C-alpha cells in the first residue's frame, strides 16, 4: 500500500472484519473517502510516467519476484483467504494461488510477444507506397474493483496483467476481503514494485464509486449485474472504458451417453466448491431423461459424503458461506423451490446460528422457478430433465446470463454441436468451471454476464490502447484525393470506387493512366 495513502487513513473511519465460519474478529481496515481515493489515483497517475517507460524485461522481473513472494508465503496467504471467505484452504491454494501464479508467470514471459508492434496488411494501399503498423500503449491508471469470492486470484491476476502492459493500478478490494486486498499490496511492495505503482484503497461501495468517479483510465470490475450497471453509468460520464465481469447462471447439460460417474463428481465440485459462490458454478443441471435417476443417485451419494466445516481444517471440502446476505438468497431460492413443487433430495438447511448451508440437491425443477433463473451463488444443485438435443440447448439458453456452460456426452461430435449452440463466453465439453484458472484463455460473459474480457490475449488487449502508425513512403507526390477538386478529380474518385475498392490488382492497374493524369493535374496547380 502506498505510504501516502497509509498516512491518510489514520483520519478515516474503520470497519471490522470477521471469519464467517467461526465469527472470530480478524482485524479492521480504514474506509477511504473521496478525497483520499482521488489522491491515490493522482499518485498512481504520477507514478505511471516512469512505469510506462520501464522495459518488458524489468516488469517481467518484478512480476516473477511477486510470484516468489506468493510461493514463499503460500500457507499464510491461503489461511487468510480461508479465514476471510470461509472457503477450504485447499481451495484457496488450488483455485486461487496456483492459477494466479500460472497466470503471472505466463504474462511475465509472454506480454512482450503478445504486444509486439506488428505490421498489418492494408491491401492495395500498399501499392501506393503506404505502410501500417499497430503498437500498444498502456491506458494509464487501471482501477480494479473485485468481488469477495476470489479475493486473491482475480485482483492479483488483473493487476499483474495491467502492470505488464505498463499501467499503474489502484485496487478497491471487496469490503469483506479487505485484508486479502491489502496483502496483494504488500506482495508487490516486497517484490520491489515502486511506490504508487500499486495502491490499495479499502472501503465499501462508496469507496468503489469514488474510485470510478476519480477518472481512472480503465475500470476492471467484477461483481453483480446491478453494481456493474451503476459502474458503467458512472464511468460513461467521463467516457472511462470498463470491463465488466458479472454474474452467471451456468448450465450443465448431461446426455445419457456421458460417463455418469465422472459427470456426477464434476457436478458436485462445480456446484459446491467455494460453497457455490463462483460466477461459473454449476447453477442448474439438465439431464437426459433416461439418465436422470442414475445421475441423481450418484450426485446425492457424492454430496452426502462431503465433509462440511471450518475451511482451515484440511479435510473439509465445503466451507461456510461468506455472508449472511448471500445465505439469505440461498434460503429464499430453496424456499421458492419447495413452494413451487420441487423436491429437496438432500440438504436444504443452514446449521442454526451459523453461515454453514448444507450442500443441497433439488429435483423436479423447471425453468420457471426463481432458483433456475436468478443467480443463487450458493451450494445448491437444481436438476431438470430434457428429452432432445434441441430442448437441452433451448433450456440452457433460456437465461439472462451467459458466462459459462458445459456439455457432457460420450459422443464428441454431438457435444461440440450442442456447445456451439450455447450463448455463453466459455463452453466446456466434459469439464466444468475451472477455465478461469487458465490465464492463457479469454474470460468473459455474453448477455448480462458482462462486457469485455480478462485473461488471454483478448484480456491483455483490454489493458492497452491500439495505436496505428501509418507511413507514406512516396511523400514526394501529392495524394490523388487532395484539393483542389475538378472534373478530372471526380473521374479519378469514381475509378477508386469501381476499380481500386474491388480489391482487384488487375482492375486497379487499369486505372493507373487516370491516376497519373490526376497527379500531374495536382502538381501543375
Ligand atoms: P457487488 O456488485 O456487490 O460488489 C463488487 C464490488 O463492487 C465490491 O468491491 C463492492 O465494494 C464494489 N461496489 C459496490 N457498489 C459499488 C459502486 N456503486 N461503485 C463502485 N464499486 C461498488 O458483488 P459481490 O456480491 O461482491 O460479488 C458477487 C457477484 O460477482 C456475483 O454476481 C458473481 O457472479 C460475480 N462475479 C463474477 C465473476 C466473473 O468473472 N464474471 C467473478 C467473480 C464474481
Amino acid at each position: 500500500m502506498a505510504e501516502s495513502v497509509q498516512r491518510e487513513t489514520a483520519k478515516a473511519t474503520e470497519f471490522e472484519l470477521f471469519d464467517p465460519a467461526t465469527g472470530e474478529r480478524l482485524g479492521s481496515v480504514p474506509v477511504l473517502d473521496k478525497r483520499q481515493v482521488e489522491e491515490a489515483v493522482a499518485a498512481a497517475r504520477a507514478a505511471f510516467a516512469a512505469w510506462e517507460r520501464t522495459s518488458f524485461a524489468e516488469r517481467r522481473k518484478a512480476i516473477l519476484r511477486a510470484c516468489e513472494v506468493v510461493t514463499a508465503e503460500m500457507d499464510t496467504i491461503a489461511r487468510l483467504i480461508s479465514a476471510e471467505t470461509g472457503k477450504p484452504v485447499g481451495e484457496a491454494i488450488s483455485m486461487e494461488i496456483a492459477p494466479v501464479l500460472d497466470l503471472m508467470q505466463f504474462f511475465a514471459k509472454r506480454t512482450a510477444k503478445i504486444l509486439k508492434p506488428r505490421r498489418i496488411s492494408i491491401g492495395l494501399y500498399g501499392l501506393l507506397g503506404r505502410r501500417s503498423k499497430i503498437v500498444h500503449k498502456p491506458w494509464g491508471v487501471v482501477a480494479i474493483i473485485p468481488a469477495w469470492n476470489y479475493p486473491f486470484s482475480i485482483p492479483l491476476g488483473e493487476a499483474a496483467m495491467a502492470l505488464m502492459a505498463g499501467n499503474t493500478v489502484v485496487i478497491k478490494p471487496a469490503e469483506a476481503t479487505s485484508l486479502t486486498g491489502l496483502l496483494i499490496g504488500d506482495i508487490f511492495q516486497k517484490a520491489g514494485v515502486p511506490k504508487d505503482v500499486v495502491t490499495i484503497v479499502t472501503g465499501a461501495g462508496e469507496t468503489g464509486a469514488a474510485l470510478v468517479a476519480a477518472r481512472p483510465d480503465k475500470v476492471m470490475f467484477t461483481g453483480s449485474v446491478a453494481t456493474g450497471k451503476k459502474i458503467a453509468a458512472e464511468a460513461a460520464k467521463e467516457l472511462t472504458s470498463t470491463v465488466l465481469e458479472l454474474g452467471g447462471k451456468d448450465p450443465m447439460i448431461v446426455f445419457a451417453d456421458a460417463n455418469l460417474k465422472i459427470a456426477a463428481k464434476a457436478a458436485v465440485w462445480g456446484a459446491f466448491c467455494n460453497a457455490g459462490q463462483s460466477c461459473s458454478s454449476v447453477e442448474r443441471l439438465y439431464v437426459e431423461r433416461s439418465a436422470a435417476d442414475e445421475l441423481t443417485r450418484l450426485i446425492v451419494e457424492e454430496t452426502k459424503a462431503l465433509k462440511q466445516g471450518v475451511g482451515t481444517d484440511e479435510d473439509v471440502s465445503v466451507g461456510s458461506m461468506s455472508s449472511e446476505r448471500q445465505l439469505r438468497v440461498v434460503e429464499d431460492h430453496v424456499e421458492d423451490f419447495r413452494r413451487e413443487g420441487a423436491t429437496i433430495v438432500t440438504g436444504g438447511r443452514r446449521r442454526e446460528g451459523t453461515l454453514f448451508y448444507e450442500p443441497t440437491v433439488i429435483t423436479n425443477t423447471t425453468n420457471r422457478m426463481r432458483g433456475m433463473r436468478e443467480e443463487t451463488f450458493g451450494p445448491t444443485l437444481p436438476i431438470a430433465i430434457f428429452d432432445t438435443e434441441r430442448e437441452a440447448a433451448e433450456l440452457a439458453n433460456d437465461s439472462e446470463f451467459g458466462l459459462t456452460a458445459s456439455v457432457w456426452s460420450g459422443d464428441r461430435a454431438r457435444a461440440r454441436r450442442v456447445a456451439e449452440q450455447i450463448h455463453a463466453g466459455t463452453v466446456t465439453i466434459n469439464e466444468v468451471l475451472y477455465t478461469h484458472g487458465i490465464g492463457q484463455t479469454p474470460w468473459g460473459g455474453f448477455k448480462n454476464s458482462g462486457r469485455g474480457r480478462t485473461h488471454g490475449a483478448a484480456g491483455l488487449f483490454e489493458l492497452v490502447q491500439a495505436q496505428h502508425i501509418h507511413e507514406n513512403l512516396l511523400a514526394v507526390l501529392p495524394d490523388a484525393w487532395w484539393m483542389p477538386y475538378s472534373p478530372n478529380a471526380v473521374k479519378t474518385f469514381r475509378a477508386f470506387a469501381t476499380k481500386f475498392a474491388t480489391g482487384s490488382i488487375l482492375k486497379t492497374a487499369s486505372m493507373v493512366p487516370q491516376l497519373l493524369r490526376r497527379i500531374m493535374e495536382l502538381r501543375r496547380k
Side-chain angles (χ1 to χ4, degrees):
M1 187 173 177
E3 281 166 33
S4 56
V5 176
Q6 261 172 343
R7 270 202 309 278
E8 290 288 341
T9 57
K11 293 178 211 150
T13 51
E14 299 196 327
F15 63 83
E16 296 190 310
L17 292 151
F18 296 92
D19 182 330
T22 63
E24 183 196 340
R25 183 181 178 281
L26 298 171
S28 65
V29 296
V31 177
L32 268 63
D33 64 21
K34 194 168 176 295
R35 188 179 58 79
Q36 292 166 322
V37 171
E38 282 168 359
E39 282 172 9
V41 171
R45 181 149 290 124
F48 171 66
W51 185 254
E52 180 192 27
R53 287 197 301 273
T54 55
S55 65
F56 283 117
E58 286 170 82
R59 295 177 206 160
R60 168 188 163 128
K61 271 191 207 144
I63 298 301
L64 292 179
R65 278 197 304 269
C67 287
E68 283 168 21
V69 177
V70 174
T71 309
E73 299 181 7
M74 176 155 61
D75 290 330
T76 317
I77 297 170
R79 275 198 300 276
L80 178 62
I81 298 172
S82 170
E84 274 199 312
T85 59
K87 71 177 71 180
V89 274
E91 272 176 13
I93 297 172
S94 67
M95 297 186 74
E96 297 220 52
I97 297 175
V100 81
L101 282 171
D102 185 56
L103 176 149
M104 288 166 77
Q105 64 78 24
F106 175 76
F107 283 102
K109 294 171 188 163
R110 297 297 283 275
T111 298
K113 190 164 179 209
I114 300 170
L115 297 185
K116 205 168 137 191
R118 63 176 203 284
R119 275 275 284 281
I120 53 170
S121 164
I122 52 173
L124 296 181
Y125 286 97
L127 297 180
L128 303 180
R130 316 296 156 121
R131 296 280 179 276
S132 276
K133 71 172 175 180
I134 298 291
V135 298
H136 300 99
K137 301 279 188 193
W139 280 98
V141 180
V142 173
I144 299 177
I145 305 179
W148 43 263
N149 61 337
Y150 289 92
F152 189 68
S153 57
I154 292 180
L156 177 56
E158 289 177 358
M161 289 173 68
L163 294 179
M164 279 308 303
N167 303 282
T168 55
V169 163
V170 179
I171 303 174
K172 202 299 285 174
E175 44 274 42
T177 52
S178 298
L179 297 176
T180 305
L182 289 171
L183 187 74
I184 292 172
D186 291 344
I187 289 165
F188 283 118
Q189 204 169 44
K190 286 181 184 163
V193 169
K195 183 171 171 297
D196 297 330
V197 168
V198 177
T199 306
I200 314 298
V201 292
T202 49
E206 280 172 19
T207 306
L211 179 54
V212 178
R215 301 185 184 192
D217 300 285
K218 182 98 191 187
V219 176
M220 305 291 291
F221 171 73
T222 307
S224 60
V225 175
T227 309
K229 286 183 178 173
K230 280 190 209 160
I231 286 181
E234 182 62 33
K237 289 184 190 162
E238 297 295 339
L239 296 180
T240 307
S241 168
T242 56
V243 167
L244 306 172
E245 294 291 354
L246 310 177
K249 191 73 196 169
D250 302 13
M252 174 173 179
I253 297 172
V254 184
F255 286 96
D257 62 0
N259 181 327
L260 295 185
K261 265 192 158 171
I262 294 294
K265 281 182 183 295
V268 167
W269 181 71
F272 303 138
C273 69
N274 206 17
Q277 301 164 120
S278 302
C279 50
S280 48
S281 287
V282 173
E283 285 250 339
R284 44 198 177 115
L285 189 154
Y286 300 101
V287 56
E288 194 169 4
R289 188 174 299 276
S290 60
D293 288 348
E294 178 61 359
L295 185 71
T296 305
R297 186 187 68 73
L298 290 164
I299 286 174
V300 171
E301 194 177 289
E302 290 277 342
T303 303
K304 285 185 170 163
L306 296 175
K307 181 172 173 186
Q308 186 168 33
V310 177
T312 41
D313 292 346
E314 289 193 0
D315 62 345
V316 158
S317 295
V318 184
S320 76
M321 293 197 63
S322 298
S323 71
E324 177 65 29
R325 187 186 70 160
Q326 201 55 52
L327 195 142
R328 292 237 172 103
V329 175
V330 177
E331 286 181 330
D332 274 2
H333 285 192
V334 172
E335 206 32 60
D336 186 71
F337 274 125
R338 281 201 180 97
R339 238 190 341 262
E340 294 293 319
T343 311
I344 314 297
V345 188
T346 181
R349 278 179 312 209
R350 88 150 88 188
R351 209 185 285 163
E352 230 183 291
T354 71
L355 292 181
F356 287 96
Y357 196 91
E358 289 176 358
T360 301
V361 181
I362 306 155
T363 54
N364 296 322
T365 69
T366 71
N367 269 15
R368 285 194 319 277
M369 299 173 183
R370 264 180 72 202
M372 296 293 271
R373 310 201 68 79
E374 297 170 17
E375 189 179 37
T376 308
F377 219 54
T380 56
L381 180 52
I383 301 173
I385 289 172
F386 68 85
D387 287 302
T388 64
E389 211 176 291
R390 188 165 168 194
E391 189 190 3
E394 280 173 3
L395 286 168
N397 285 334
D398 174 24
S399 171
E400 64 169 293
F401 296 106
L403 187 57
T404 75
S406 69
V407 183
W408 291 74
S409 171
D411 175 348
R412 286 199 194 155
R414 167 157 72 179
R416 289 183 196 133
R417 198 164 57 231
V418 175
E420 283 178 19
Q421 293 170 46
I422 308 292
H423 304 147
T426 299
V427 185
T428 53
I429 294 174
N430 295 331
E431 186 52 270
V432 287
L433 190 143
Y434 92 113
T435 61
H436 189 271
I438 315 176
Q440 293 83 348
T441 57
W443 181 262
F446 287 11
K447 302 193 266 185
N448 272 358
S449 288
R451 293 290 179 276
R453 293 291 177 269
T454 56
H455 294 185
L460 193 62
F461 287 127
E462 299 274 8
L463 296 160
V464 289
Q465 298 193 75
Q467 182 179 54
H468 171 202
I469 309 270
H470 183 75
E471 208 177 330
N472 179 2
L473 307 174
L474 292 179
V476 289
L477 296 173
D479 287 347
W481 48 85
W482 286 358
M483 293 173 187
Y485 302 146
S486 65
N488 189 35
V490 175
K491 207 170 166 193
T492 313
F493 301 161
R494 278 207 192 90
F496 267 111
T498 56
K499 299 182 167 33
F500 180 86
T502 64
S504 155
I505 295 188
L506 272 183
K507 285 189 180 164
T508 301
S510 73
M511 69 179 269
V512 168
Q514 174 60 37
L515 193 60
L516 290 176
R517 272 197 296 281
R518 169 65 179 150
I519 288 171
M520 293 315 288
E521 177 187 45
L522 279 169
R523 288 192 68 184
R524 277 196 303 273
K525 287 196 173 169

